[in-house]
Every structure is written in structure tokens, then in C-alpha cells.
């Protein structure tokens, strides 16, 4: 009695430690919400509920795997853009033409953003893979068009006439690969 007052109370069945800190794990099965939306909602609720400076949270599991895969996909896309630019610069023996070709990729991304918004899809790994594939198709089509224009310029045509003639003869093959 000189050290403590003993009272019988209920307590946790176990004290879980995560990396040396007391912690809890929350598991959930998602029925109608996508993983990214659920992760964002849980993070928002936890941020609002945990105003105490000593309390932190970390979202892991499949949500962390999703973040890791999206980060890896972003790195792969940037690396692919760089490597494609280097290969085209050496092929065209110019820094201008590959830069012009690479400027077509953001136009494709604008189309993807509009399509995702109109269809109500969420950004996922499959959408990311589709964007990378679409980027390759767009770059291929731009290479075909720039090569046709350069060929006509090499034959002595003026720039505007070479652009019009090259675009009119290459529009069909470009549309065939786009479908």
C-alpha cells in the first residue's frame, strides 16, 4: 500500500509492439471502395482523430504495396522516357527532333486523364501500364511522322509543304496503329 493502490480493471489481452513501439493493427475487407480511396479516407480520419503529438500512424499492407508499385512504375516511365530520348537522339543525330517527338507524350496523358475522368475509373497499376503502352505508341507514331517529314525535306521540299505532304501520307498508318 505504500507503493501503489491495486484495483481490478479490464485491460488489453495483449500489448502489440511494432518496431519497439506500442501499436495496434487494423484489418479491413473492402467491398465497394477501391484501395487507394480507402487508404486516403483512413489516413484522413486518423489525422483528424490523432491530435496528440505522441501518436503516429502508418498505413501498410496492400496499401503500401500499391504505393510501392506506383512509385516503381513512375521510375520505370521516367527511365523509359530518358532511354527513348537517348536512342532517338543517336538515331536522328539531332537533339531537336527527339525533343519534338517527346512533346507528343503529354498530349496522350491529357487524353488519358480525360478518359479516366469521364469513365469514373481510378488510377491503378493497370491504368499506369496502359499509359506507358500508350506513350510507346504515340512515340512510334511521332517517329513515323517526323521521318516522313525529314525525308521530304531531304528531297528539297519547303518545311510547310513537307509537313502537309508527310502528314497526309502518314495519317492512315498512324490511325491504324492507334486503333
Amino acid at each position: 500500500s505504500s507503493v501503489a493502490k491495486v484495483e481490478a480493471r479490464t485491460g488489453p489481452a495483449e500489448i502489440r509492439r511494432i518496431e519497439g513501439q506500442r501499436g495496434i493493427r487494423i484489418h479491413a475487407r473492402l467491398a465497394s471502395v477501391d484501395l487507394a480511396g480507402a487508404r486516403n479516407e483512413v489516413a484522413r480520419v486518423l489525422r483528424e482523430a490523432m491530435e496528440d503529438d505522441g501518436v503516429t500512424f502508418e498505413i501498410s499492407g496492400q496499401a503500401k504495396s500499391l504505393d510501392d508499385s506506383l512509385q516503381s512504375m513512375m521510375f520505370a516511365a521516367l527511365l523509359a522516357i530518358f532511354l527513348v530520348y537517348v536512342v532517338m537522339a543517336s538515331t536522328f543525330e539531332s537533339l531537336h527532333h527527339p525533343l519534338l517527338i517527346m512533346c507528343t507524350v503529354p498530349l496522350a496523358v491529357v487524353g488519358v486523364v480525360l478518359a479516366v475522368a469521364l469513365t469514373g475509373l481510378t488510377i491503378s497499376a493497370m491504368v499506369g501500364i496502359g499509359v506507358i503502352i500508350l506513350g510507346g505508341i504515340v512515340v512510334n507514331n511521332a517517329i513515323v511522322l517526323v521521318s516522313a517529314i525529314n525525308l521530304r525535306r531531304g528531297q528539297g521540299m519547303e518545311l510547310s509543304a513537307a509537313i502537309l505532304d508527310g502528314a497526309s501520307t502518314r495519317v492512315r498508318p498512324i490511325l491504324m496503329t492507334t486503333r
Side-chain angles (χ1 to χ4, degrees):
S1 68
S2 62
V3 177
K5 181 180 176 187
V6 178
E7 294 180 13
R9 293 199 175 188
T10 59
E14 67 175 308
I15 298 175
R16 184 180 298 258
R17 300 257 178 210
I18 302 171
E19 295 181 7
Q21 301 287 324
R22 288 182 82 170
I24 62 169
R25 292 191 179 174
I26 301 171
H27 300 273
R29 292 187 190 268
L30 303 177
S32 62
V33 180
D34 65 291
L35 183 59
R39 179 199 58 219
N40 294 338
E41 183 64 19
V42 167
R44 183 189 65 78
V45 168
L46 289 175
R47 268 194 300 276
E48 290 175 0
M50 302 201 181
E51 297 174 358
D52 183 11
D53 291 337
V55 178
T56 61
F57 68 92
E58 178 180 339
I59 297 178
S60 61
Q62 288 181 347
K64 184 160 177 36
S65 297
L66 174 68
D67 290 341
D68 293 344
S69 67
L70 289 176
Q71 189 176 22
S72 296
M73 198 174 321
M74 184 64 78
F75 176 73
L78 292 175
L79 183 64
I81 289 170
F82 173 73
L83 292 175
V84 165
Y85 181 81
V86 168
V87 168
M88 284 191 301
S90 64
T91 302
F92 283 110
E93 296 177 355
S94 165
L95 298 177
H96 173 72
H97 295 314
L99 187 61
L100 181 68
I101 290 168
M102 296 305 285
C103 286
T104 61
V105 175
L107 299 174
V109 173
V110 169
V112 170
V113 169
L114 288 175
V116 166
L118 287 175
T119 59
L121 291 174
T122 58
I123 303 297
S124 64
M126 295 308 289
V127 171
I129 291 169
V131 168
I132 291 172
I133 292 170
L134 178 65
I137 293 170
V138 167
V139 165
N140 185 41
N141 291 339
I143 289 171
V144 167
L145 183 59
V146 169
S147 295
I149 292 170
N150 284 342
L151 179 68
R152 282 153 182 77
R153 292 278 293 160
Q155 294 171 348
M157 290 180 81
E158 291 294 321
L159 178 63
S160 59
I163 291 173
L164 288 174
D165 188 50
S168 65
T169 57
R170 286 292 165 205
V171 71
R172 185 171 179 236
I174 288 173
L175 289 175
M176 289 171 62
T177 60
T178 305
R179 283 189 94 210

